[in-house]
């Protein structure tokens, strides 16, 4: 079993900005060095690197820059932001099996000043790869931005459960409220009201501008090593109590419109079941959830898939203050990607580690277990990090 | 006078660019579509092509080649068809269709790869004893 | 710029030009001469010795003597020009010569100076032709030697036609699908106005999007069913931002549930956006996006 075998021993990040002014490789190197420094380790200790398939910085390039020597483990995880928690899962597996001793997970991009994922790219449906063919059922119709792909689910969720734009808006308001008191957040000091959310312009109905997360330049890195060794390092460890990847029947990239039901995220259900099973924990054991929030509607679906509330109950759960810092399940105390930065979910894992260490900007008390999820609408992943 | 001899021998002419341009100049026709391929193409043609004065001249030549120097051309009536482009071949065929009082009418067909370029009749007179048939 | 004339006005102008009768042009600049004859014979490949031996011009050269050549400025006023310009202005801009008929009274002799004279003969039309609707304009030119002796006459007829509207090649639509052996039948279908749904030739399972194998019985024997073209809107979005290449915003994209039991994605069109609703009945329609790509789209339909 993987549970308890590995831990996150170090976290590092660059500043989060709209224009880093630096190459993506440099951002990756800076974050990796910061994470090693945080863990009290040096590049010479690293023998494994894991990143996203989408990352533009190859492991060997990062290794050269920071001075890592021999690598015995390297891997990439597919499916956009769905890779975030899975990089830690792969690192933990490598550590648990002896493939490597110290693995650094990283994600670095200039997603605002460089290639922006939200901009239509006519090449999406261009090649007859399985993904290009999949995209070809949607892109020719102009259905080709992440906001539009998610909006299609959001409309069906609204229709099925009677949810409204305000229900989505409350997520954005909560995230911006959390970010307002996090100095590392781009939206530090800039909370919004539900009225402002409702007044914000349509991006793709039913999604408004304030339902969509920001675009950021930056990098985050995480050092994974054995739980045993982590306990001897500089920081108190965030033990990987559970790690899981998930894809469900009839899965497509962001456009799983052909399954019986379109009101949920079955792949996140797969991840949730695995996390509970592996950790032996249940939703009531979770103090904080870091839920992937590139678009507000999928925060609701995740609360339901992970069992924090029943089907269709998320709107009431949120309206009731459930995801606030003083709520039943504080969600994204750092402000999430809506408030802090969009680093493809990796900054959320770092927040989970800080909450366990007791060093977060919006630190909560009694944090034993934090659940973290990765990108939604795609094959995804999740973690439960625990104190110890 | 056999039936066969009423048929003119076929004349096949290679429409080289040189021929198209030289005949355009010999007929005092400086229209660019008869000598400037780029301009001809820009106006929707495949290439430079024969001008009408040349078509008339070639039809006349075809008949007098056969009829001999004693023939006197009286009429040339031509219906114009598809263009005769440089690079193509013009095949002229003909047959005598009437003969009375020393006046012969010859039907002429000038075909190119696209179809009939010119179809018509040439009427000529011949002094007695000069009929090639 | 001339004004366009009605067909009737064109005929009136033609009658006026015909009534002008024969207009004399400028005499040829050069008399009938040996160098031009020799040049012409060589270019035509005409080896008939009679011309040079007897100082005669080949009869088909009649028009050559009075061609302006590169001296465009000296072109004679002719009763034809005004009518040609009027036809151009009225949209009959295409021109193709249809007939050239020459009568040779005698061969011109070296040393003679020929003078052309032109009369407009007739305008016929409008007529439907293979090239388009047009008018046949006919005029006659006579070449006179000294003492007004006609040497040669020529009838010339052109078709002035209205070129068929050439559809300009449409700008290629930028959002093209990737197509392979597993999906070509679908795109071929929409080009033919059919919404094809892959079916398993063995177990009959319908499936969209299609793929190489039947997920139920794993057969690779594929066929397709042609859908009825009815559907129900299962979900939809209204795209506002950012701009999408090849599209005008806002536009609607929907997931459509077919009575055949599969869903397809397509645009909802011909419907005010505020009237688009989950559950609305739809009917398929096929829209050409450029010269090659047809997309299936959906319009409001009967339940």
């Amino acid at each position: 079993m993987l549970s308890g075998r590995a831990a996150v021993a170090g976290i590092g990040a660059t500043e989060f900005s709209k224009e880093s002014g630096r190459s993506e490789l440099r951002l990756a190197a800076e974050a990796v060095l910061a994470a090693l420094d945080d863990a009290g380790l040096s590049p010479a200790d690293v023998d494994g690197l894991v990143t996203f398939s989408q990352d533009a910085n190859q492991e060997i390039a990062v290794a050269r820059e920071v001075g890592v020597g021999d690598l015995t483990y390297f891997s990439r995880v597919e499916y956009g932001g769905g890779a975030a928690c899975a990089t830690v899962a792969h690192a933990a597996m490598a550590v648990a099996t002896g493939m490597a001793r110290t693995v650094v997970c990283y994600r670095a991009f200039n997603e605002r000043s460089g290639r922006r994922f939200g901009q239509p790219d006519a090449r999406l449906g261009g090649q007859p790869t399985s993904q290009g063919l999949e995209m070809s059922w949607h892109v020719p119709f102009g259905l080709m931005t992440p906001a539009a792909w998610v909006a299609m689910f959001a409309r069906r969720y609204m229709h099925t459960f009677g949810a409204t734009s305000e229900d989505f808006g409350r997520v954005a308001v909560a995230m911006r409220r959390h970010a307002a008191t996090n100095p590392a957040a781009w939206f530090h000091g800039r909370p919004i009201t539900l009225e402002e959310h409702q007044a914000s312009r349509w991006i793709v109905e039913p999604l408004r501008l304030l339902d969509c997360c920001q675009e950021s330049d930056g990098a985050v890195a995480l050092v994974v090593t054995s739980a045993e060794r982590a306990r001897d390092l500089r920081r108190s460890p965030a033990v990987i109590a559970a790690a899981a990847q998930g894809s469900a029947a009839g899965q497509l990239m962001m456009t799983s419109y052909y399954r019986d039901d379109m009101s949920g995220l079955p792949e996140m259900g797969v991840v949730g079941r695995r996390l509970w099973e592996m950790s032996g924990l249940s939703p009531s054991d979770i103090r904080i959830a870091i839920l992937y929030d590139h678009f507000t509607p999928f925060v609701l679906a995740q609360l339901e898939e992970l069992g924090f509330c029943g089907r269709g109950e998320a709107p009431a759960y949120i309206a009731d203050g459930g995801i606030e810092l003083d709520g039943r399940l504080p969600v994204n105390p750092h402000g999430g990607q809506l408030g802090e930065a969009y680093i493809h979910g990796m900054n959320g894992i770092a927040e989970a580690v800080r909450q366990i260490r007791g060093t977060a900007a919006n630190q909560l008390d009694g944090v034993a277990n934090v659940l973290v999820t990765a990108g939604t609408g795609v094959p995804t992943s999740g973690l439960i990090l625990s104190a110890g | 006078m056999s039936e066969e001899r009423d048929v003119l021998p076929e004349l096949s002419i290679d429409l080289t660019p040189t021929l198209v341009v030289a005949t355009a100049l010999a007929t005092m026709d400086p229209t660019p579509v008869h000598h400037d391929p780029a301009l001809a193409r820009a106006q929707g043609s495949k290439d430079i092509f024969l001008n009408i004065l040349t078509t008339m001249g070639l039809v006349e030549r075809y008949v007098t080649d056969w009829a001999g120097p004693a023939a006197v051309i009286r009429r040339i009536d031509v219906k114009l068809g598809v263009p005769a482009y440089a690079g193509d071949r013009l095949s002229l065929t003909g047959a005598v269709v009437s003969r009375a009082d020393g006046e012969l009418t010859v039907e002429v067909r000038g075909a190119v790869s696209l179809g009939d370029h010119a179809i018509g009749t040439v009427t000529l007179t011949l002094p007695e004893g000069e009929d090639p048939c | 710029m001339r004004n366009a004339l009605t067909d009737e006005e064109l005929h009136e102008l033609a009658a006026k030009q015909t009534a002008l009768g024969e207009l004399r042009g400028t005499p040829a600049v050069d008399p009938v001469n040996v160098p031009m004859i020799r040049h012409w014979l060589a270019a035509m490949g005409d080896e008939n010795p009679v011309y040079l031996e007897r100082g005669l011009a080949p009869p088909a050269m009649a028009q050559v003597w009075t061609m302006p050549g590169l001296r465009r400025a000296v072109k004679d006023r002719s009763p034809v020009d005004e009518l040609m310009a009027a036809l151009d202005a009225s949209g009959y801009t295409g021109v193709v010569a249809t007939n050239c008929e020459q009568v040779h009274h005698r061969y011109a002799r070296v040393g003679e100076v020929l003078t052309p004279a032109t009369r407009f003969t007739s305008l016929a039309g409008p007529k439907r032709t293979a090239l388009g609707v047009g008018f046949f304009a006919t005029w006659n030119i006579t070449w006179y030697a000294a003492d007004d002796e006609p040497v040669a006459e020529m009838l010339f007829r052109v078709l002035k036609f209205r070129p068929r509207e050439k559809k300009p090649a449409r700008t290629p639509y930028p959002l093209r699908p990737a197509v392979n052996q597993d999906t070509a039948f679908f795109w071929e279908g929409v080009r033919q106005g059919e919404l094809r749904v892959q079916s398993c030739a063995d177990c009959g399972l319908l499936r969209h999007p299609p793929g190489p194998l039947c997920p139920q019985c794993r057969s690779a024997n594929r066929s397709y069913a042609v859908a009825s073209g009815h559907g129900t809107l299962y979900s939809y979005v209204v795209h506002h931002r950012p701009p999408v290449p090849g599209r005008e915003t806002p536009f609607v994209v929907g997931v459509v549930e077919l009575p055949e039991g599969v869903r397809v994605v397509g645009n909802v069109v011909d419907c005010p956006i505020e009237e688009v609703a989950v559950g609305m009945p739809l009917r398929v329609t096929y829209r050409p996006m450029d010269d090659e790509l047809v997309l299936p789209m959906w319009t409001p339909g009967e339940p």
Side-chain angles (χ1 to χ4, degrees):
Chain A
M1 277 292 282
L2 189 63
S3 183
R5 301 280 296 277
V8 179
I11 56 174
T14 63
E15 81 288 1
F16 305 137
S17 74
K18 299 300 175 195
E19 184 162 12
S20 72
R22 315 201 281 294
S23 71
E24 294 187 338
L25 181 56
R26 180 165 164 188
L27 297 179
E30 287 179 17
V32 169
L33 288 173
L36 288 169
D37 190 49
D38 182 61
L41 293 170
S42 81
D45 296 314
V46 176
D47 52 4
L49 288 169
V50 183
T51 188
F52 296 48
S53 314
Q54 273 189 6
D55 201 278
N57 310 292
Q58 290 193 312
E59 303 91 306
I60 55 174
V62 172
R64 285 198 307 270
E65 289 315 304
V66 302
V68 166
D70 297 346
L71 286 172
T72 60
Y73 181 73
F74 31 88
S75 76
R76 297 278 191 126
V77 187
E78 257 294 350
Y79 307 117
C85 295
T87 62
V88 175
H90 284 218
M93 288 192 290
V95 167
T97 58
M99 284 289 286
R101 192 154 178 258
T102 309
V103 181
V104 183
C105 307
Y106 64 91
R107 177 74 174 113
F109 56 24
N110 288 321
E111 199 280 328
R112 180 62 182 78
S113 66
R115 199 194 137 222
R116 303 169 65 185
F117 300 162
Q119 297 299 312
D121 182 349
R123 292 166 301 180
L124 278 174
Q127 297 298 317
T129 58
S130 68
Q131 188 176 329
L133 289 164
E134 201 178 290
M135 290 281 177
S136 294
W137 302 111
H138 312 119
V139 168
F141 303 99
L143 186 70
M144 59 190 306
T145 61
W149 295 327
V150 172
M152 195 69 86
F153 286 100
R155 174 79 66 187
R156 188 65 198 180
Y157 184 91
M158 293 165 84
H159 176 82
T160 306
F161 299 120
T164 65
S165 171
E166 283 91 340
D167 293 324
F168 302 149
R170 287 185 188 94
V171 173
V173 172
M175 296 308 108
R176 291 290 291 269
R177 185 182 297 135
H178 300 174
T181 53
N182 169 12
W186 178 258
F187 286 114
H188 178 237
R190 287 185 281 172
I192 56 165
T193 63
L194 190 56
E195 290 67 38
E196 285 171 315
H197 171 273
Q198 287 296 294
S200 67
R201 63 176 187 264
W202 291 122
I203 299 301
V204 182
E205 287 180 61
L207 298 190
R208 300 177 182 280
L209 175 66
L210 292 176
D211 288 306
C212 307
C213 85
Q214 63 191 310
E215 298 171 284
S216 307
D217 286 8
V220 169
L222 309 160
V223 179
V224 176
T225 188
S226 70
E228 193 179 36
R229 179 158 171 251
R231 289 187 187 97
D232 298 332
L233 293 176
R234 186 180 285 170
R235 303 287 197 171
S236 51
V239 176
I240 298 162
Q245 287 184 268
S247 165
Q251 184 79 52
L252 280 78
M253 272 288 275
M254 299 297 288
T255 51
S256 304
Y257 304 147
Y258 308 94
R259 295 163 165 168
D260 288 348
D261 182 26
M262 247 181 73
S263 62
L265 290 166
E267 54 280 0
M268 194 59 82
V270 172
V271 167
R273 287 192 294 280
R274 291 285 293 159
L275 292 177
W276 304 133
E277 183 186 22
M278 192 182 293
S279 65
L281 300 172
S282 69
S284 60
D285 297 315
I286 301 299
R287 177 70 177 96
I288 297 167
I290 307 290
L291 301 182
Y292 198 90
D293 59 338
H294 55 354
F295 298 99
T296 56
F298 277 162
V299 172
L300 282 71
Q302 288 182 85
L303 288 168
E304 297 171 10
E305 290 288 353
L306 295 166
F308 293 108
C309 63
R311 292 269 170 209
E313 292 174 6
Y317 187 95
I318 290 167
D320 196 33
I323 65 171
E324 306 292 333
L325 293 177
D326 59 355
R328 290 155 69 184
L329 179 76
V331 169
N332 302 347
H334 61 312
Q337 304 192 91
L338 287 156
E340 188 186 63
Y342 174 68
I343 312 293
H344 241 168
M346 293 294 268
N347 50 321
I349 304 174
E351 169 68 3
V353 172
R354 283 190 297 266
Q355 288 287 348
I356 284 166
R357 290 177 179 176
T359 60
N362 294 319
Q363 182 63 46
L364 297 172
D365 55 19
V367 180
N369 303 304
V370 181
L371 182 146
V372 191
T373 62
T376 42
V378 289
T380 187
S381 55
L383 293 171
I384 294 176
L385 299 181
S386 302
Chain B
M1 199 183 301
S2 75
E3 277 297 303
E4 281 164 68
R5 294 180 67 195
D6 280 0
V7 175
L8 280 64
E10 181 176 337
L11 173 65
S12 183
I13 301 173
D14 266 336
L15 303 176
T16 60
T18 306
L19 181 128
V20 175
V21 174
T23 52
L25 293 180
T27 54
M28 297 288 283
D29 186 348
T31 312
V33 289
H34 305 308
H35 66 259
D36 185 336
L39 208 132
R41 288 186 191 112
Q43 293 186 6
S45 294
K46 206 173 82 177
D47 205 329
I48 55 171
F49 52 90
L50 286 188
N51 69 348
I52 296 165
L53 285 84
T54 299
T55 303
M56 300 302 281
L58 292 175
V59 168
E60 178 180 273
R61 170 199 156 188
Y62 175 58
V63 174
T64 55
D65 274 3
W66 163 78
V72 177
I73 300 293
R74 300 293 181 187
R75 285 189 72 103
I76 309 173
D77 290 354
V78 167
K79 239 177 90 180
L80 296 155
V82 297
Y85 288 114
D88 208 337
R89 265 178 103 74
L90 178 66
S91 296
L92 290 152
T93 51
V96 177
V97 290
S98 75
R99 180 184 279 112
D101 304 329
E103 190 173 90
L104 276 77
T105 300
V106 179
E107 195 177 74
V108 177
R109 174 180 295 253
V112 290
S113 63
L114 296 175
D116 287 332
H117 166 63
I119 299 175
T121 55
V122 177
T123 305
L124 55 101
T125 52
L126 279 170
E128 211 159 319
E130 297 281 351
D131 191 328
C133 299
Chain C
M1 191 64 197
R2 268 162 198 277
N3 292 328
L5 301 186
T6 63
D7 293 347
E8 200 169 316
E9 289 167 333
L10 286 168
H11 278 291
E12 282 167 15
L13 178 62
K16 213 177 88 192
Q17 296 308 100
T18 309
L20 289 174
E22 191 172 77
L23 295 185
R24 269 305 155 111
T26 314
V29 268
D30 289 308
V32 174
N33 63 82
V34 170
M36 283 175 68
I37 294 170
R38 202 195 305 282
H39 184 192
W40 189 94
L41 292 170
M44 296 293 160
D46 192 338
E47 290 169 4
N48 189 348
V50 72
Y51 308 116
L52 293 175
E53 278 172 9
R54 294 172 54 190
L56 299 175
M61 266 190 93
Q63 192 182 358
V64 175
W65 303 114
T66 55
M67 287 287 279
L70 289 167
R71 299 169 301 116
R72 288 283 164 75
V74 303
K75 191 174 184 304
D76 285 331
R77 187 174 88 88
S78 133
V80 178
D81 299 343
E82 191 164 342
L83 195 72
M84 290 295 117
L87 285 162
D88 280 334
S90 305
Y92 300 98
T93 52
V95 62
V96 59
T98 62
N99 298 78
C100 184
E101 301 176 2
Q102 298 177 345
V103 175
H104 299 288
H105 299 294
R106 65 170 174 82
Y107 287 14
R109 291 185 281 269
V110 169
E112 279 186 318
V113 173
L114 298 181
T115 300
T118 306
R119 62 193 157 86
F120 188 79
T121 319
S122 75
L123 184 73
K127 289 184 177 171
R128 229 172 259 287
T129 75
L131 293 170
V133 173
F135 284 88
F136 289 93
T138 309
W139 61 91
N140 288 66
I141 306 174
T142 304
W143 284 273
Y144 293 94
D147 304 325
D148 288 347
E149 184 206 357
V151 174
E153 291 174 42
M154 181 174 83
L155 171 150
F156 201 68
R157 182 174 297 135
V158 300
L159 169 66
K160 284 289 288 173
F161 61 98
R162 194 188 291 279
R164 286 220 183 72
E165 291 281 314
K166 249 196 233 145
K167 272 198 212 146
R170 292 177 69 171
T171 322
Y173 177 67
L175 307 180
R176 312 196 74 81
V179 178
N180 77 348
Q181 303 94 313
D182 299 329
T183 66
F185 78 96
F186 178 91
W187 298 106
E188 184 54 39
V190 291
R191 259 195 301 279
Q192 295 176 25
E194 287 182 358
L195 188 63
R196 295 176 179 174
V197 180
Q198 181 178 316
S199 66
C200 174
D202 286 330
C203 77
L205 180 78
L206 291 179
R207 130 177 233 221
H208 187 85
L213 297 180
C214 172
Q216 185 167 272
C217 74
R218 300 191 192 107
S219 166
N221 293 327
R222 291 166 289 175
S223 182
Y224 61 81
V226 177
S228 66
H230 292 280
T232 306
L233 191 58
Y234 187 77
S235 189
Y236 71 96
V237 302
V238 184
H239 189 105
H240 293 267
R241 295 177 186 83
V244 169
R247 291 278 174 160
E248 290 204 358
T249 55
F251 61 88
V252 178
V253 195
V255 173
V256 181
E257 200 152 53
L258 308 188
E260 289 81 7
V262 298
R263 293 189 198 132
V264 300
V265 165
N267 296 103
V268 178
V269 295
D270 303 336
C271 180
I273 285 174
E274 58 278 9
E275 289 174 21
V276 177
V278 172
M280 75 186 291
L282 297 167
R283 187 103 184 93
V284 75
T285 176
Y286 301 92
R287 298 289 160 94
M289 306 306 289
D290 54 27
D291 292 339
E292 283 173 16
L293 181 67
V294 175
L295 290 180
M297 296 193 185
W298 299 86
T299 60
E302 293 305 308

